[in-house]
Amino acid sequence: MATARRAWRLPAAAATLLVLLLACSAAADDASYDDDAGGPRTPGCSNKFQLVKVKNWVNGTEGATVVGLSARFGAHLPRDMHEAQKSFAVLSNPFHCCSNLTSKLTNSVALATRGECAFTAKAKTAQAGGAVGLLVINDNEELYKMVCSENDTSINVTIPVVMIPQSAGKKLKGFLDHGASVEVQLYSPNRPVVDLSACFLWIMAVGTIVCASLWSELVACERVDDRYNQLTRKDGPNTGTNYSEDKEIFEISAKGAIVFIIIASVFLLLLFYFMSSWFIWVLIVLFCIGGIEGMHVCLVTLLARIFKDCGQKTVQLPFLGEGICLMITVLQMARLPNIRVASALLSAAFVYDIFWVFISPLIFHESVMIAVARGDNTGESIPMLLRIPCFFDPWGGYDMIGFGDIIFPGLLVAFSYRFDRASKKGILNGYFLWLTVGYAVGLFLTYLALFLMDGHGQPALLYLVPCTLGLIVILGWVRGDLHDLWNYRKGRMENLVDEP
């Protein structure tokens, strides 16, 4: 029974690593917009794109706030709601706002549909009619960037121009068509420099790696000098512990690391082109099963630590066995044997992450990694992400990091802890502490890059791999341990592990 269970669980570890690799980017939230791809900048057409809150009242009753996007041209909107002017909304006539208007727009915000003429022409027509602002209804739910054409060499638009989604525009138009009084208020609040959600994610990611690395010794009471690459049962009469189960460990090889990256890339493309809501729900269900199973493992391990007499009392569930804790247990079950394999895995993942975040838009017209992580085609994001709502951001959204950005550097940090224990190194002259600090610094640099790039999704491994793999290679070279780290299973460290 144990053999069958092991035969099922070891491929499950490899499959889990592949799925986790799909979520290896720290993605931006939905409130972020790239300001670079915004057409030519000319005098009067050089504004930065800003998200805009459009508060509205229908016959004095406040409705749901609409989120719009300001144009490259026009007046800047106030940042504070109390500084924003409340104005009546009026339908432009003709509705496309491209020719002389017959409707009276004095001191009103004009509501017009997209099409028929340039955005700048609509703005000039509304401004000439006395409007104090223009809301352009898009023909879909996306917020299109309103830019100037190459022929617009000098723009003199002095009113704010904002695009709103199709559904919100139709709703406002319906109220106006039925004679309702509609008032609107336009403002664009600033986002906080740092939101607490990013701090929580940082603590959770670093804490998970530290906990997973120390779990075996501090919680599960596992012997740290056991040869971790052996998958043998310890059923002998002289073991004297409650932990006589088989050591079910999936040891990664250099060849396997490259295969992981290739298969993950193919799978990522399949998700990008064929991802549907039903498939996301399948992933969510499987994730929930794995999460419940993992919680069972952690709770049972903690209880066995406290109540040692209960260690031999087990309950067997068909197919599930003891289960996989999606991050802590994966870091226990999947292990790197040495720095040589770590270099192959993390270097390949480094290139993988950069390609699918930064280079893929040149080929597929958008970032494949970010599109899959956010679930752009289905509205549902894949479950292999840590997502925390932004606490103080007026635009809402989430800060997120992929499980792969924790698991893959975490494999190296966990290896450094085993190496330190086997070679009897202290905290300061070992590698575990410094790699933990390196991971923390790398994750900080990731979120710093997110801030500097105005929330555009970043490949987290771009910063995490140099701060972990690069750090252990440099430290090992300086200390003279690089040969032992590179050939851990073949060198003197293996002899140290065998010692009683």
Side-chain angles (χ1 to χ4, degrees):
M1 192 65 185
T3 302
R5 199 165 59 241
R6 180 167 65 245
W8 173 76
R9 289 182 64 188
L10 293 183
T16 302
L17 285 174
L18 286 173
V19 176
L20 292 174
L21 190 59
L22 296 175
C24 277
S25 67
D29 56 58
D30 295 335
S32 301
Y33 280 86
D34 182 12
D35 193 61
D36 294 330
R41 296 196 183 202
T42 57
C45 190
S46 58
N47 294 348
K48 185 177 181 180
F49 294 114
Q50 299 283 350
L51 289 173
V52 178
K53 285 186 178 288
V54 183
K55 296 180 68 71
N56 60 89
W57 293 262
V58 179
N59 294 328
T61 302
E62 185 175 353
T65 300
V66 177
V67 176
L69 184 67
S70 65
R72 181 70 89 188
F73 51 89
H76 293 282
L77 288 166
R79 295 295 186 180
D80 193 290
M81 178 182 66
H82 302 291
E83 299 176 0
Q85 179 182 356
K86 186 186 292 187
S87 304
F88 287 98
V90 177
L91 293 176
S92 61
N93 188 12
F95 194 36
H96 52 66
C97 198
C98 291
S99 56
N100 293 331
L101 301 175
T102 59
S103 56
K104 187 177 180 181
L105 301 178
T106 305
N107 296 325
S108 301
V109 173
L111 194 65
T113 187
R114 178 183 175 181
E116 302 295 331
C117 63
F119 294 117
T120 52
K122 295 178 186 292
K124 291 176 181 178
T125 301
Q127 180 175 294
V132 294
L134 173 64
L135 294 179
V136 179
I137 304 173
N138 199 13
D139 50 14
N140 56 57
E141 292 303 298
E142 298 295 326
L143 294 177
Y144 186 82
K145 295 177 180 178
M146 295 182 289
V147 299
C148 305
S149 64
E150 296 181 357
N151 296 328
D152 293 323
T153 56
S154 181
I155 307 298
N156 186 25
V157 176
T158 58
I159 61 173
V161 182
V162 177
M163 174 165 284
I164 59 176
Q166 183 182 44
S167 58
K170 282 186 175 181
K171 192 173 182 179
L172 292 177
K173 181 178 182 299
F175 289 133
L176 292 171
D177 285 338
H178 288 83
S181 173
V182 177
E183 294 178 283
V184 295
Q185 187 180 36
L186 312 179
Y187 64 103
S188 180
N190 283 319
R191 309 186 71 177
V193 175
V194 178
D195 195 271
L196 282 180
S197 59
C199 300
F200 273 105
L201 272 182
W202 185 87
I203 295 172
M204 290 171 65
V206 176
T208 297
I209 287 180
V210 173
C211 181
S213 300
L214 304 179
W215 182 269
S216 294
E217 182 181 2
L218 300 182
V219 178
C221 297
E222 178 184 295
R223 284 167 51 97
V224 295
D225 60 342
D226 283 340
R227 186 177 298 177
Y228 63 83
N229 63 318
Q230 291 182 344
L231 300 178
T232 57
R233 292 183 60 85
K234 300 177 179 63
D235 293 331
N238 298 323
T239 55
T241 68
N242 291 332
Y243 298 94
S244 60
E245 300 106 316
D246 49 349
K247 289 279 294 172
E248 297 171 346
I249 297 172
F250 173 76
E251 189 174 276
I252 303 170
S253 65
K255 181 179 179 180
I258 303 302
V259 172
F260 281 158
I261 303 301
I262 295 173
I263 297 179
S265 297
V266 173
F267 193 31
L268 187 68
L269 276 178
L270 291 176
L271 284 176
F272 179 69
Y273 283 112
F274 304 109
M275 184 168 58
S276 58
S277 57
W278 70 265
F279 183 74
I280 293 297
W281 278 107
V282 169
L283 289 178
I284 291 174
V285 170
L286 293 176
F287 176 79
C288 290
I289 294 173
I292 295 172
E293 208 179 345
M295 285 296 296
H296 161 261
V297 173
C298 292
L299 288 175
V300 168
T301 303
L302 290 171
L303 289 174
R305 168 73 169 173
I306 299 171
F307 305 102
K308 297 182 180 181
D309 294 336
C310 299
Q312 295 290 347
K313 300 176 182 179
T314 60
V315 177
Q316 294 293 336
L317 298 178
F319 302 108
L320 296 183
E322 291 89 355
I324 300 174
C325 183
L326 226 49
M327 290 215 266
I328 293 179
T329 306
V330 166
L331 286 173
Q332 294 296 304
M333 199 165 80
R335 295 185 175 181
L336 293 170
N338 47 50
I339 297 300
R340 176 173 53 84
V341 176
S343 298
L345 176 64
L346 292 180
S347 297
F350 176 82
V351 174
Y352 166 92
D353 218 13
I354 294 175
F355 177 84
W356 291 113
V357 174
F358 283 158
I359 302 177
S360 63
L362 303 177
I363 303 173
F364 304 98
H365 307 294
E366 62 178 320
S367 174
V368 174
M369 178 76 77
I370 295 177
V372 171
R374 292 191 309 208
D376 288 354
N377 296 331
T378 63
E380 296 284 348
S381 61
I382 60 177
M384 278 64 71
L385 293 168
L386 281 180
R387 298 203 312 166
I388 296 183
C390 297
F391 300 127
F392 302 108
D393 195 325
W395 303 107
Y398 296 87
D399 276 316
M400 62 184 76
I401 184 172
F403 283 2
D405 299 324
I406 301 175
I407 292 292
F408 288 95
L411 290 169
L412 180 59
V413 177
F415 163 79
S416 70
Y417 179 75
R418 296 194 302 274
F419 180 87
D420 288 351
R421 297 296 293 171
S423 56
K424 297 180 174 58
K425 289 184 176 293
I427 295 178
L428 295 179
N429 68 340
Y431 296 91
F432 172 70
L433 173 64
W434 302 114
L435 259 67
T436 302
V437 173
Y439 179 83
V441 171
L443 196 56
F444 169 78
L445 294 176
T446 301
Y447 285 102
L448 178 62
L450 277 172
F451 169 73
L452 296 176
M453 296 291 289
D454 199 23
H456 189 279
Q458 295 292 303
L461 295 181
L462 171 64
Y463 310 95
L464 295 174
V465 170
C467 290
T468 52
L469 179 62
L471 178 60
I472 195 172
V473 169
I474 293 174
L475 276 179
W477 177 72
V478 171
R479 295 173 175 178
D481 293 332
L482 189 57
H483 181 269
D484 292 331
L485 289 165
W486 191 264
N487 303 287
Y488 178 73
R489 292 179 59 199
K490 299 177 182 179
R492 63 180 180 89
M493 292 297 106
E494 188 174 69
N495 297 326
L496 287 174
V497 171
D498 288 336
E499 292 178 0

